[in-house]
Amino acid sequence: MTHSNENGRPSVERPAAARAPVDSGGRRGLLLALALLTAVGPLAIDMYVPGLPAMSASLHAGGSGVQLTLTAFLAGVVVGQLVIGPLSDVVGRRLPLIAGTGSDSSGKAVRSPWA
């Protein structure tokens, strides 16, 4: 619906949903969830790097071979962003976020029998 403002120009009335007050509790929860999801990558690296010498000793592998696992992790992060970025532009942000978080959580929940 259009009305004229004081200058005589037509102004567009916003729908009621656009004028509704913002739920600050929901926004805080969303912000907290996004901050925690953003922190997962750096925290994973910070927990992984100190274990490299122990991993090298337990696997009887050279230091450079074990360091390649960190390179593979970072390459996986890069490829994931290259794939998920355009995908999230097409289908939206929520579905890839839920799918990625769910697959990560289920992968961590299922342990290999020899670990």
Side-chain angles (χ1 to χ4, degrees), residues 84-109:
I84 296 295
L87 178 68
S88 66
D89 288 341
V90 172
V91 298
R93 307 291 192 266
R94 184 177 179 163
L95 183 62
L97 180 65
I98 291 172
T101 306
S103 67
D104 181 59
S105 299
S106 63
K108 290 177 182 175

Side-chain angles (χ1 to χ4, degrees), residues 23-114:
D23 177 23
S24 63
R27 290 238 179 198
R28 285 189 192 129
L30 176 64
L31 182 62
L32 178 64
L34 291 176
L36 290 174
L37 287 170
T38 303
V40 167
L43 285 175
I45 292 173
D46 288 344
M47 290 186 291
Y48 189 73
V49 170
L52 288 177
M55 191 184 317
S56 176
S58 67
L59 295 174
H60 306 291
S64 62
V66 175
Q67 288 174 3
L68 282 175
T69 62
L70 185 60
T71 304
F73 171 77
L74 293 173
V77 169
V78 168
V79 170
Q81 288 184 1
L82 289 174
V83 171
I84 296 295
L87 178 68
S88 66
D89 288 341
V90 172
V91 298
R93 307 291 192 266
R94 184 177 179 163
L95 183 62
L97 180 65
I98 291 172
T101 306
S103 67
D104 181 59
S105 299
S106 63
K108 290 177 182 175
V110 178
R111 293 176 152 265
S112 62
W114 53 85

